[in-house]
Amino acid sequence: MSGPDGAWYGVGFNAETMADAPYAIIVDGKGAITERKLGEHAPGSILASSVTEVSSTVVGGIRTTVMTRPVGPATKDHYGFPTTPGDVNLITAVGNTPELAYHKSRTGGTLTLLPTTASACVCAPVVQEYMSYMNQSTTHWSNYDCLDEPRSDMLRHGDGTGRNLSNSACAMNSYHGGLKCCQHTFFLTDQDQDPLIRNETDTYFLKWRYYFQEYTPATAGSPASHRHLHHWVFLIDANVNDYEEDSADYGEASIGRISAHLTGKDIGLEDTPASWRTITPLVMTPHCHAPSCIREEFWNADTGEIICNVTARYGEGRYGGLNEVFNEADYVAIPPCIFGDQPGLQTPFILGANTNITAHKYFNNTYRHLGQMAQWTGLMVYDTDPY
């Protein structure tokens, strides 16, 4: 085992988190070895020693301790090492004090045991990463599946500046914040503020008002009064859903852009019928966040026509008082594109299953923004709908 000289480090066996209460070997800042049964976010209890130190050397500030131990467990709380090939889950941690205390950093891994008398395949190592909340809960981090171009910019040009960089949300070691930090029951507070959060539940009520027209079925002489609208939604940032916006020169005025290229059948259609040829969008709207969202565009890449272009409107004095409802300073409104055959509306566009679509989002990335979204959503009809 190797770790920084002057600080403790340790390994827990057959575990993925401390909640598994594993057997662990700890080396303190002076090289002393102890064996423990860890608790959940707790140092646990010291076990009787079953290891024998072979050597302890320090080179370049790194202490390496070599030790031996019987394969079988000394007690029920000691770990018994397998005698057959297989994997053993490990958790590792390092502190910043000589004595065992809260870790400075931690990670997990797998120890692969190979046979000594037969050939075996050594597979590529898999890194497992975890996030913790208030040192009380631990969740396994699964990286966003940042798709490659042409579907998404996230993997190669993910910060929107055109640089050859993945978006920071593509990996845990570069993730700065977003939905993964805002899970159910999480409070965005510092650890020392946790005792200040009262154990209370807020109760609130929602009131909905629906306006509708009675449906009239189709007859031999006239069509039905209404058509069945279907929802659709897709992400310009593909599978990320809360990407990060950054700039090449922080604080200097900058506008970024991310793009997606897909086809009509890939825009997140719902209630897909067994057979259809075209769709007709009747309502289209982007989803993006203040204060950075500028506009989003939806293009038919085959014809060069722009289907929907929405510019975010922020609360401004020209729209009335900045304390008025929906016009508060920096409040963002995102007007939809509405299509129809009625006077004053844009004539609907028809898209085929293989129509090539390009979608763009433009944003103010003068400063970094976390947890951003770039979506298109709306309502449409299929050409084969029975009503």
Side-chain angles (χ1 to χ4, degrees), residues 4-16:
D5 182 38
W8 69 267
Y9 54 93
V11 178
F13 295 87
N14 196 32
E16 295 184 352

Side-chain angles (χ1 to χ4, degrees), residues 258-290:
I258 58 173
S259 302
H261 305 276
L262 60 167
T263 62
K265 64 179 179 296
D266 301 319
I267 65 171
L269 304 176
E270 299 181 3
D271 309 320
T272 308
S275 175
W276 64 278
R277 295 178 301 276
T278 64
I279 58 173
T280 303
L282 298 177
V283 179
M284 301 179 67
T285 183
H287 177 92
C288 57
H289 296 172

Side-chain angles (χ1 to χ4, degrees), residues 122-194:
V122 179
C123 301
V126 177
V127 176
Q128 294 185 338
E129 298 170 310
Y130 298 87
M131 296 181 68
S132 64
Y133 171 73
M134 295 294 182
N135 298 331
Q136 298 172 5
S137 62
T138 301
T139 56
H140 180 247
W141 168 277
S142 55
N143 287 340
Y144 284 122
D145 184 12
C146 290
L147 299 185
D148 202 351
E149 298 170 342
R151 173 58 182 90
S152 167
D153 286 340
M154 291 293 102
L155 187 62
R156 296 184 185 271
H157 302 101
D159 69 346
T161 66
R163 296 180 294 176
N164 295 324
L165 295 173
S166 295
N167 191 268
S168 295
C170 291
M172 178 176 173
N173 59 7
S174 57
Y175 186 77
H176 297 103
L179 287 176
K180 289 181 177 289
C181 300
C182 300
Q183 299 182 30
H184 179 56
T185 71
F186 280 18
F187 290 88
L188 299 183
T189 53
D190 291 334
Q191 184 178 351
D192 58 1
Q193 295 175 306
D194 192 43

Side-chain angles (χ1 to χ4, degrees), residues 199-248:
N199 186 21
E200 297 178 356
T201 300
D202 293 330
T203 301
Y204 65 95
F205 300 90
L206 298 175
K207 181 178 181 179
W208 300 91
R209 179 174 293 168
Y210 294 93
Y211 298 86
F212 65 95
Q213 294 175 324
E214 293 289 348
Y215 173 70
T216 303
T219 65
S222 62
S225 60
H226 299 74
R227 297 193 64 184
H228 188 177
L229 293 175
H230 299 269
H231 180 254
W232 59 273
V233 59
F234 74 89
L235 312 180
I236 295 178
D237 48 339
N239 300 340
V240 179
N241 198 33
D242 67 324
Y243 74 101
E244 300 184 17
E245 296 170 350
D246 206 349
S247 64

Side-chain angles (χ1 to χ4, degrees), residues 28-77:
D28 70 16
K30 297 180 180 180
I33 303 170
T34 56
E35 297 168 77
R36 311 183 74 95
K37 182 175 177 60
L38 299 178
E40 183 174 1
H41 303 292
S45 56
I46 295 180
L47 303 177
S49 177
S50 64
V51 300
T52 300
E53 181 180 316
V54 176
S55 64
S56 181
T57 57
V58 178
V59 178
I62 300 298
R63 178 182 295 278
T64 298
T65 302
V66 178
M67 65 194 81
T68 62
R69 206 212 75 166
V71 171
T75 69
K76 64 180 180 62
D77 291 327

